[in-house]
Amino acid sequence: MFGKLKIYSPVLFLLGIIVLVWEVYVPGLNGGFLFDDFVNLEPLGSFGGVKDFETAQAFVFNGIASSMGRPLSLATFLLDDNNWPSQASYFKPTNVKIHLINGLLVIWVSVLILRALGKKEIDAVWISLLAGAIWMLHPYMVSTTLYVIQRMAQLSAMFMLAGICAYLKGRAMLIGGRLIAGYVWMSVGVAIGTVLAVLSKENGALLPLCILVIESVLPRITAPLLNWWRLAFLVIPSLVVVGYLASLIDLSNVPAGGRRYSALERLITEPRVIWEYIYHLLVPRIEGRGLFQDGYVFSTNFLSPITTLPSMIGLMALFFLGVIFRFRFPLISLAILFFLASHLMESSWLNLELYFEHRNYIASVFIFLPVAAAIVQLKEKYHYRISVIAGVAVLGILTFLTHNRVSLWSDSDKLELYWAMSSTDSPRAQNRLGSLLLERSGPEKAIFHMEATSSRFPDSSLISTNLLLIKVFALVATPADFERAATEMRNQPFDAQAVMGLRHIANQIALPDAPKIYAEAMIKLIEEVYKNKNYREIGVYSRIDHHIRGLMYLKLRNDKAAYESFSKAIDAYNETDAALSIVAEMASAGYSQYALNLLAKAEVVYKNQPVSTLIRSQDVYDREFARMRTMLNSATQYAP
């Protein structure tokens, strides 16, 4: 097919694909923020926005997406905006550009692998170009690219791919006898690539293991000290990561961390999830259930659902086929083994959500390599025009599907409405539908929908809290509504979003136009929720419990009870900024002496908090404490 084309045809094809991908994604740049975008990017507006080194440091090094914070990913958001509220259209073009860079890296990695496998240069180039084009244009990548916060997954993939490229380049140098240069490239690629990938998202720690997978399908090479180098840079780091993950295995079969399922149930569910990933990668569609995956049916044993055991057996068989045929069918084995290795962290026993499309962003980079190879090789058996027609047909179908999915993502309200309507088994989806109905049709329809949903999901505390929140917002809630929520939440499983719902209810009640009877009923509700050990034993709830009580007592003008609750909240938060916020709430209500007492407690928290965990510099905190003390002393002195 391609031998008769001019020498510059690959370059023109590549440029054409870049332009095509960009144009396909352009409509999606108008879409808005979604879900986790808000909670992760709202700190851009803390302290008046990111306007100097200190506020930049506070934003970058205090991420909440994971225990590591993903600082490198957060730093890149400052390229797009430095304040909040913001617009998603500022951030999405950068995501699309990263997607294009990743596509180029996929092509480069593929060329290097095919060269190492001995493919003819022209075939290696065209197979790689086609495989990269399929990956870039696949509709499954839309949810990673246009979901702003998933830049974290994109960046981790970018540094992993760059590390693989550097490793393969160094490997080729070893074969050519350039030992020092080869080892430098390989070492830098693995070490720096892993560090940068991990600072973007934790699954970047799988880079050494992924390189071992690539190495397993390539012809063996020999070089001085190569085995020792592999041991130090690939084998030991891989064993450390796998060992760490293994140390987190929990076979108690008891749900933890507010999940509906245990680690064991998650482990036996994931084979079904992975097969679904594979299906949708090989049989693409325009849109699925999107981000509402909380209704996914998890496996309770090997035969429930009935597909559990076959999925597990099939996945093990797939793995062994990848191992057995890695020299006979190296591209197929690479696609299988790399895919499985990339899912080791997020699709095994860790206490994460069951299903998210973005987990396939790095895992799928070699899935289409054997497909592209088969299309290009059609020229050997048939005519090169058959290869051209097949390649154009595949890319045309993918372009059509992705264009339609991007068009749907261009309107976030319509997108969420679509997800909610199509995810009838998802409490989160139905909860979001209630919120959309409130915005578009008013409280009556929203309440009707949420009451019907509450009957369908009696175990969902998210639904219970949001139904009450809508009624409180519309000022139609009664004490009976609070009692109903209390009765339901007394035994419901923990839900982190329900905790935030309780806080939103409290904030709504604290407004001047909300009746005081709501505050009295809210205190009773909180007392009942606290009896539920599923909530009481979760640290985040114990903190917010005392905080909500304090806000409600302020509403009731019970200054002593508010002070006692806020004092307990400061102890529970044990964090300087949270403590100062509570002091400000007490002071704003006019209780200066109590606020001074709370300020003293806050200062104890500040003095005991490790400097490395402070969001701002000590100078800023020292000035803030002095300012607040002066202000409160003055207010206390002139208080009637």
Side-chain angles (χ1 to χ4, degrees):
M1 154 183 172
F2 305 109
K4 296 183 179 180
L5 297 177
K6 296 180 180 179
I7 193 66
Y8 51 80
S9 294
V11 176
L12 295 177
F13 178 85
L14 177 59
L15 293 175
I17 289 298
I18 292 173
V19 172
L20 176 62
V21 172
W22 177 262
E23 290 299 320
V24 166
Y25 271 95
V26 162
L29 303 182
N30 297 318
F33 291 113
L34 296 165
F35 307 119
D36 289 349
D37 289 340
F38 295 97
V39 68
N40 283 279
L41 296 178
E42 278 177 346
L44 280 170
S46 300
F47 320 119
V50 178
K51 53 185 180 294
D52 51 32
F53 177 78
E54 183 176 310
T55 51
Q57 185 180 37
F59 173 72
V60 169
F61 291 102
N62 288 278
I64 62 170
S66 72
S67 59
M68 295 188 67
R70 304 175 184 176
L72 187 54
S73 293
L74 291 177
T76 67
F77 291 120
L78 296 177
L79 299 173
D80 304 315
D81 200 1
N82 62 347
N83 214 332
W84 190 268
S86 185
Q87 298 182 42
S89 58
Y90 297 166
F91 298 84
K92 294 195 177 191
T94 303
N95 281 29
V96 177
K97 292 170 187 175
I98 294 172
H99 183 57
L100 288 170
I101 292 171
N102 286 339
L104 295 176
L105 288 170
V106 170
I107 293 169
W108 187 15
V109 169
S110 299
V111 168
L112 294 173
I113 289 173
L114 292 172
R115 284 175 181 170
L117 289 172
K119 287 283 186 182
K120 291 189 298 184
E121 184 68 15
I122 189 64
D123 287 348
V125 169
W126 280 109
I127 292 171
S128 301
L129 286 170
L130 184 56
I134 293 173
W135 184 83
M136 283 189 279
L137 285 168
H138 199 288
Y140 225 44
M141 307 307 148
V142 171
S143 58
T144 306
T145 305
L146 293 182
Y147 187 7
V148 172
I149 203 62
Q150 286 310 324
R151 182 181 302 180
M152 296 174 175
Q154 288 187 297
L155 288 171
S156 181
M158 183 178 76
F159 291 119
M160 290 179 73
L161 288 167
I164 294 170
C165 284
Y167 170 80
L168 291 172
K169 181 176 177 63
R171 186 183 189 276
M173 289 178 174
L174 288 187
I175 295 174
R178 300 172 59 190
L179 299 182
I180 295 178
Y183 280 124
V184 169
W185 273 93
M186 292 163 63
S187 302
V188 170
V190 175
I192 303 300
T194 301
V195 169
L196 295 179
V198 169
L199 292 177
S200 301
K201 190 178 179 182
E202 292 73 17
N203 62 336
L206 295 172
L207 176 57
L209 179 63
C210 290
I211 291 176
L212 281 176
V213 167
I214 295 172
E215 189 62 45
S216 72
V217 305
L218 299 180
R220 298 184 183 277
I221 63 171
T222 59
L225 302 176
L226 181 57
N227 289 336
W228 288 105
W229 184 92
R230 286 175 178 163
L231 180 67
F233 282 83
L234 300 180
V235 177
I236 292 178
S238 298
L239 290 176
V240 168
V241 172
V242 173
Y244 174 74
L245 294 176
S247 71
L248 301 176
I249 295 176
D250 178 9
L251 299 180
S252 63
N253 204 27
V254 176
R259 301 296 183 196
R260 300 173 295 128
Y261 41 83
S262 66
L264 181 59
E265 288 170 332
R266 187 183 194 278
L267 182 62
I268 64 175
T269 301
E270 285 304 313
R272 293 172 39 230
V273 173
I274 289 175
W275 278 114
E276 187 169 331
Y277 290 153
I278 294 172
Y279 175 78
H280 289 304
L281 284 167
L282 298 180
V283 185
R285 58 181 178 172
I286 293 176
E287 185 60 72
R289 294 182 297 177
L291 304 183
F292 293 122
Q293 299 294 342
D294 56 306
Y296 197 94
V297 178
F298 61 89
S299 299
T300 56
N301 58 60
F302 293 147
L303 297 178
S304 179
I306 194 65
T307 53
T308 301
L309 185 59
S311 296
M312 295 174 68
I313 295 173
L315 201 61
M316 288 187 287
L318 187 67
F319 170 75
F320 284 117
L321 286 175
V323 173
I324 293 170
F325 293 109
R326 65 187 187 279
F327 297 127
R328 186 174 180 185
F329 304 109
L331 296 185
I332 295 176
S333 289
L334 175 62
I336 293 171
L337 298 178
F338 191 92
F339 182 82
L340 296 178
S342 299
H343 274 290
L344 182 62
M345 188 174 292
E346 295 182 295
S347 301
S348 57
W349 52 83
L350 296 186
N351 190 28
L352 304 171
E353 297 278 2
L354 293 173
Y355 186 115
F356 277 125
E357 289 181 4
H358 66 258
R359 293 172 183 166
N360 296 279
Y361 192 75
I362 183 63
S364 63
V365 294
F366 296 127
I367 286 283
F368 310 112
L369 198 54
V371 175
I375 292 174
V376 171
Q377 291 306 314
L378 287 174
K379 68 181 177 62
E380 304 294 339
K381 188 174 182 180
Y382 302 102
H383 193 274
Y384 80 90
R385 291 191 180 88
I386 301 298
S387 290
V388 173
I389 293 171
V392 170
V394 169
L395 295 181
I397 292 171
L398 292 175
T399 300
F400 171 78
L401 295 174
T402 300
H403 170 74
N404 280 276
R405 189 175 194 192
V406 167
S407 297
L408 182 60
W409 276 70
S410 66
D411 187 326
S412 296
D413 287 343
K414 289 183 180 179
L415 177 64
E416 291 184 56
L417 182 62
Y418 174 89
W419 288 343
M421 297 294 289
S422 62
S423 303
T424 56
D425 56 350
S426 165
R428 292 179 189 171
Q430 300 313 305
N431 178 66
R432 182 55 183 157
L433 181 56
S435 299
L436 291 171
L437 287 172
L438 178 65
E439 295 171 8
R440 296 184 175 196
S441 305
E444 185 176 344
K445 289 187 177 181
I447 291 170
F448 178 82
H449 167 76
M450 292 302 294
E451 286 181 337
T453 301
S454 180
S455 299
R456 290 184 55 225
F457 300 104
D459 292 333
S460 174
S461 50
L462 172 62
I463 300 299
S464 298
T465 54
N466 206 44
L467 171 57
L468 180 60
L469 174 60
I470 291 173
K471 289 185 175 182
V472 169
F473 176 82
L475 298 178
V476 298
T478 65
D481 292 315
F482 284 88
E483 291 172 8
R484 172 186 174 182
T487 300
E488 292 171 345
M489 294 189 70
R490 191 180 297 131
N491 298 302
Q492 287 172 333
F494 174 82
D495 190 314
Q497 293 189 31
V499 174
M500 296 309 299
L502 291 172
R503 179 59 193 269
H504 290 320
I505 293 172
N507 290 341
Q508 198 68 32
I509 293 174
L511 295 176
D513 59 342
K516 289 185 178 181
I517 193 175
Y518 283 3
E520 296 171 352
M522 187 64 179
I523 291 173
K524 294 178 182 179
L525 168 61
I526 289 297
E527 289 173 348
E528 291 301 311
V529 175
Y530 193 76
K531 295 177 182 178
N532 184 343
K533 70 175 185 178
N534 295 325
Y535 278 83
R536 185 175 63 250
E537 296 176 356
I538 301 294
V540 65
Y541 177 74
S542 66
R543 295 191 292 270
I544 208 168
D545 175 280
H546 296 302
H547 200 162
I548 289 175
R549 291 173 192 258
L551 289 173
M552 295 303 95
Y553 285 126
L554 281 185
K555 177 76 174 182
L556 296 170
R557 306 305 295 177
N558 187 337
D559 53 344
K560 183 178 179 181
Y563 168 73
E564 291 173 351
S565 294
F566 279 152
S567 182
K568 293 176 182 178
I570 288 177
D571 291 336
Y573 280 114
N574 197 31
E575 198 273 329
T576 303
D577 286 275
L580 287 173
S581 175
I582 290 172
V583 173
E585 288 171 333
M586 197 74 184
S588 297
Y591 301 119
S592 305
Q593 185 58 56
Y594 280 130
L596 266 175
N597 296 342
L598 291 176
L599 184 66
K601 287 183 67 71
E603 194 159 18
V604 172
V605 171
Y606 166 56
K607 296 298 183 183
N608 292 329
Q609 185 172 345
V611 175
S612 60
T613 64
L614 292 173
I615 295 178
R616 294 175 285 179
S617 71
Q618 290 178 289
D619 288 341
V620 171
Y621 285 110
D622 291 338
R623 291 195 299 270
E624 181 65 10
F625 274 101
R627 184 191 69 82
M628 293 186 74
R629 186 177 297 105
T630 300
M631 178 188 70
L632 291 172
N633 278 325
S634 176
T636 303
Q637 180 180 356
Y638 294 103

